């Protein structure tokens, strides 16, 4: 009699079970199940997604906000930087302070005086562009599920930052003068009544991205009064403030309330985006937290870039260069407005910016900027669809066009191509008997839109 086999045997399986076992599921990212929950909310910027297509030479790109730095005195800058490396290279190429180099922070106080801000260098923290400044501010203030208030529409990069920290964005209505104080009070009251925690208001008061509108001084005063009444912190993002086309810059919100406003500044628009140097001006206690957050993120912001900016400010006519930039962008702005006036079909409206880079376009009823984009690219013109600038799906009837980079003749050609695309879309509606008022292009916000009738 043979011994029983002690080896355990698997139970019999049906042919279908055998087939399932033999199949090996695959996924592009083997670590997908390991990421933190906040990573799943991170998405590519709509503007960045357009770059590859929009930068083809045959396409007129009205999409990006890339500064035109061709007028910088590169020969002078190169000589001055060579001298800087020779004299200060061992310091410029070394680690530095988490707060940033004192000499540049002192120079930044002079830059901000142009917008009536009086500040001490010790309250300035240098960052890798103002984008990192916004990231640090959000990190030290916001927990998942908190609320940040932002204009409707708002900067796409800010929305991405808030999303990455699992923050809910609630938009506040705008009119032709920017944020509406009554809408701000109503939104904050409703959120508090619902038990939600509002951490701060994010706003771009000058030549807002994407709408191009500017808060006049009286509006800034009114908004700050509402913010103080509600105990609301204001984060003022101001990359474009010095690029005004009409007189002197309007006093910054920070200049009107140093205790309740965090100010984000940048050299990307007034010098060079490639050096990636920005700053945060914050109340003293907040600054301490920012420096700790900066040190955990980068140890220190790039010292060499700080020396590049500091050398430029010390050796070049940087204020004269800003005037040159203003004149150049004004010519491009005028080309954009002239082209829109000539080529846009009836029912199209747009804002008229007094500085900065952007125009916000509202399409005729029934048109959808997102659905229309592939046909625009086929017609060799690019823009950014409106929904990219909303956290809640609105903006289908809007799009952003930029005049900062293309030369005036290309801007006019771009508006001509865009006008043809809109005309063709309207023709399709007419051909197929579509009533534009019955076509739903997506969620729409019932509010006085910025520049609703400025064409």
């Amino acid at each position: 009699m043979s011994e029983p086999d002690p080896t355990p045997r698997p139970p019999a399986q049906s042919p279908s079970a055998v087939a399932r076992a033999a199949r090996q599921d695959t996924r592009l990212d083997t670590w997908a199940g390991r990421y933190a929950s906040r990573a799943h909310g991170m998405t590519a910027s709509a503007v960045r997604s357009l770059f590859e297509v929009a930068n083809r030479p045959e396409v007129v790109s009205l999409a990006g906000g890339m500064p035109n730095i061709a007028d910088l005195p590169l020969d002078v800058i190169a000589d001055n930087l060579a001298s800087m490396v020779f004299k200060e290279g061992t310091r410029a190429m070394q680690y530095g302070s988490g707060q940033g180099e004192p000499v540049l922070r002192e120079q930044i106080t002079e830059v901000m005086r142009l917008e009536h801000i009086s500040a001490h260098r010790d309250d300035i923290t240098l960052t890798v562009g103002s984008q990192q400044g916004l990231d640090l501010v959000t990190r030290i203030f916001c927990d998942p599920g908190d609320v940040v208030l932002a204009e409707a529409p708002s900067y796409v990069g800010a929305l991405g930052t808030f999303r990455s920290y699992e923050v809910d964005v609630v938009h506040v209505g705008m009119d032709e003068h920017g944020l509406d104080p009554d809408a701000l009070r109503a939104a904050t009251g409703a959120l508090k009544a619902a038990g939600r925690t509002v951490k701060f208001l994010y706003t771009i008061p000058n030549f807002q991205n994407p709408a191009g509108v500017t808060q006049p001084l009286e509006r800034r005063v009114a908004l700050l009064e509402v913010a103080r009444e509600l105990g609301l912190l204001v984060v003022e993002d101001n990359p474009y403030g010095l690029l005004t086309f009409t007189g002197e810059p309007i006093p910054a919100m920070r200049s009107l309330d140093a205790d309740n406003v965090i100010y984000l500044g940048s050299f990307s628009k007034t010098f060079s985006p490639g050096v990636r140097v920005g700053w945060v001006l914050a109340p003293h206690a907040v600054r301490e937290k920012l420096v700790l957050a900066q040190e955990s993120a980068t140890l220190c912001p790039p010292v060499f870039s700080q020396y590049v900016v500091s050398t430029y400010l010390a050796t070049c006519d940087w204020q004269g260069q800003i005037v040159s930039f203003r004149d150049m962008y004004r010519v491009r702005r005028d080309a954009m407005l002239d082209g829109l006036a000539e080529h846009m079909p009836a029912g199209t409206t747009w804002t008229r910016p007094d500085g900065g880079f952007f125009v916000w376009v509202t399409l005729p009823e029934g048109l959808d900027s997102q659905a229309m984009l592939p046909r625009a690219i086929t017609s060799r013109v690019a823009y950014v669809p409106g929904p990219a600038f909303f956290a809640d799906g609105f903006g289908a009837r809007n799009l952003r066009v930029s005049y900062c980079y293309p030369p005036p003749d290309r801007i006019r050609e771009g508006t001509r191509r865009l006008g043809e695309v809109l005309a063709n879309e309207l023709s399709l509606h007419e051909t197929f008997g579509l009533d534009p008022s019955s076509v739903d292009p997506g969620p729409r916000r019932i509010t006085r839109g910025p520049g609703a009738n400025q064409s």
Side-chain angles (χ1 to χ4, degrees), residues 61-215:
S61 177
L62 307 178
M66 190 163 61
N68 190 315
I69 59 174
D71 289 345
L72 283 173
L74 297 181
D75 54 343
V76 176
I77 292 172
D79 290 342
N80 293 340
L81 290 185
S83 176
M84 180 273 289
V85 172
F86 181 75
K87 296 177 181 177
E88 304 284 354
T90 56
R91 294 175 59 190
M93 301 173 74
Q94 186 54 272
Y95 286 121
S97 161
Q99 189 175 356
E101 293 300 301
V103 63
L104 179 55
R105 288 189 277 118
E106 187 66 46
Q107 290 168 308
I108 287 172
T109 65
E110 297 296 324
V111 174
M112 292 191 295
R113 281 198 181 94
L114 297 179
E115 294 181 289
H116 302 266
I117 296 174
S118 177
H120 194 280
R121 73 181 188 184
D122 287 349
D123 289 326
I124 295 171
T125 302
L126 294 178
T127 58
V128 185
S130 61
Q131 182 72 28
Q132 193 210 17
L134 182 60
D135 185 278
L136 296 179
V137 169
T138 307
R139 189 199 307 185
I140 67 174
F141 276 101
C142 293
D143 293 313
D146 284 343
V147 174
V148 167
L149 298 172
E151 293 145 332
S154 189
Y155 168 49
V156 63
L159 298 180
T161 295
F162 302 146
R163 191 181 304 116
S164 73
Y165 285 101
E166 301 176 271
V167 173
D168 293 331
V169 175
V170 172
H171 287 293
V172 180
M174 299 172 67
D175 59 22
E176 64 273 18
H177 301 302
L179 268 172
D180 184 336
D182 293 333
L184 176 61
R185 183 182 285 106
T188 306
L191 287 163
K192 290 185 176 180
R196 301 299 303 276
T197 301
V198 181
K199 285 299 177 72
F200 57 79
L201 166 68
Y202 171 76
T203 180
I204 306 172
N206 293 304
F207 326 120
Q208 197 251 9
N209 179 3
V213 299
T214 298
Q215 298 170 14

Side-chain angles (χ1 to χ4, degrees), residues 184-308:
L184 176 61
R185 183 182 285 106
T188 306
L191 287 163
K192 290 185 176 180
R196 301 299 303 276
T197 301
V198 181
K199 285 299 177 72
F200 57 79
L201 166 68
Y202 171 76
T203 180
I204 306 172
N206 293 304
F207 326 120
Q208 197 251 9
N209 179 3
V213 299
T214 298
Q215 298 170 14
L217 181 59
E218 297 78 9
R219 175 62 59 87
R220 299 179 192 211
V221 171
L223 286 169
L224 290 171
E225 288 177 353
V226 172
R228 283 192 294 270
E229 170 192 326
L230 300 173
L232 190 60
L233 176 68
V234 176
V235 177
E236 176 184 17
D237 195 356
N238 188 34
Y240 312 102
L242 296 180
L243 298 178
T244 175
F245 304 152
T246 56
E248 295 300 314
I250 300 173
M253 298 179 81
R254 167 72 192 206
S255 72
L256 305 172
D257 190 343
D259 294 329
N260 298 297
V261 178
I262 295 176
Y263 177 97
L264 305 178
S266 174
F267 288 105
S268 292
K269 310 303 187 294
T270 56
F271 175 38
S272 164
V275 297
R276 303 304 299 135
V277 174
W279 70 92
V280 183
L281 173 64
H284 188 77
V286 175
R287 187 265 295 169
E288 291 290 335
K289 297 291 187 185
L290 286 170
V291 173
L292 293 175
Q294 173 69 284
E295 289 174 344
S296 71
T298 64
L299 292 182
C300 64
V303 178
F304 190 82
S305 291
Q306 296 174 58
Y307 269 81
V308 170

